[in-house]
């Protein structure tokens, strides 16, 4: 059974700081996705990572995938308040997505 | 028109009621999903439909009954629910076997069982 773990579960960080969210998964997969969810809202797709070594960047967020280590990272550079949300990674498992526990990020001044 | 539309957005129902959640996708995808999101729990996959055929039932109680009449529509029929079934129910669609294959989510139905 595929298990997807994220850490940390909660992250409170100051504006301007950098931090990394980690996503580990238990079985082989070469498709990994990152989503963002604002309170009371649905999930918004951020990144699609399809191969080992894939790196995608959008604004202050950068995601990478290491399929050999079964690890993806979401790096936040110079955080701003607008990045406050819950971030989920999801791993493709025979054409269905299994989600991690989510990382609730709060950025404060 | 958004890619994945869910109705209603909010639903309050008693434990003896019968109601249905509706999901419609306008993206031409061939797979649709129901997920449940409870407070303090990860997103739980409930049902998967590929090409209108149910391919996954993730040990969901029979008081939840899915229906997929075509590749664009997905329903979740609810009856005799319990208070612990109160949650956000999210519908998603994707194009399986395609490059990318990311899932697109609807806005969700916030269900409260009283």
């Amino acid at each position: 059974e595929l298990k997807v773990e994220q850490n940390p579960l909660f992250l409170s960080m100051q504006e301007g700081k950098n931090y990394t969210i980690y996503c580990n998964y238990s079985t082989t997969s070469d498709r990994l996705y990152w989503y963002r969810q604002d309170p009371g809202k649905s999930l918004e797709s951020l990144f699609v990572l399809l191969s080992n070594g894939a790196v995608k960047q959008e604004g202050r967020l950068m995601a990478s995938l290491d399929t050999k280590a079964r690890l993806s990272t979401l790096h936040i550079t110079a955080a701003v308040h607008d990045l406050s949300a819950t971030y989920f990674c999801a791993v493709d498992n025979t054409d269905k997505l299994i989600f991690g526990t989510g990382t609730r990020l709060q950025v404060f001044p | 028109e958004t890619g994945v539309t869910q109705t209603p957005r909010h639903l309050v129902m008693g434990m003896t009621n019968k109601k249905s959640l509706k999901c419609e996708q306008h993206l031409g995808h061939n797979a649709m999903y129901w997920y449940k999101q409870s407070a303090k729990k990860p997103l739980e996959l409930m049902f998967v439909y590929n090409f209108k055929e149910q391919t996954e039932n993730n040990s969901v109680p029979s008081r939840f009954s899915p229906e997929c009449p075509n590749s664009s529509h997905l329903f979740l029929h609810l009856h005799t629910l319990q208070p612990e079934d109160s949650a956000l129910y999210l519908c998603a669609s994707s194009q399986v076997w395609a490059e990318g294959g990311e899932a697109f989510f609807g806005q969700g139905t916030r269900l409260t069982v009283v």
Side-chain angles (χ1 to χ4, degrees), chain A residues 31 33 35 37 40-48 50 88 92 94-101, chain B residues 33 35 37 42-43 45 48 50 56 88 90 96-107 110:
Chain A
R31 290 187 174 205
Y33 308 84
Y35 287 86
Q37 186 178 33
K41 301 293 178 90
S42 188
L43 279 79
E44 173 191 353
S45 177
L46 291 175
F47 298 109
V48 178
L50 300 177
F88 292 92
D92 182 87
T94 57
D95 298 323
K96 57 184 183 287
L97 292 185
I98 305 301
F99 280 81
T101 49
Chain B
Y33 313 82
Y35 283 87
Q37 188 176 35
L43 274 158
L45 179 63
V48 180
N50 284 340
E56 185 99 9
L88 180 68
L90 290 163
V96 296
W97 306 319
E99 184 69 17
E102 68 196 286
F104 292 84
F105 284 80
Q107 293 298 308
R110 174 69 63 185

Side-chain angles (χ1 to χ4, degrees), chain A residues 5-13 17-24 34 60-65 71-79 83 87 103-105:
Chain A
E5 295 183 349
Q6 282 180 242
N7 68 81
L9 296 183
F10 298 97
L11 177 56
S12 183
M13 58 190 296
K17 299 293 187 182
N18 305 332
Y19 207 84
T20 300
I21 299 170
Y22 296 89
C23 174
N24 291 89
W34 283 95
R60 301 174 187 274
L61 301 177
M62 183 174 71
S64 66
L65 177 61
L71 170 69
S72 180
T73 61
L74 180 66
H75 186 73
I76 304 156
T77 302
L83 290 180
Y87 294 85
T103 297
R104 187 172 174 183
L105 170 66

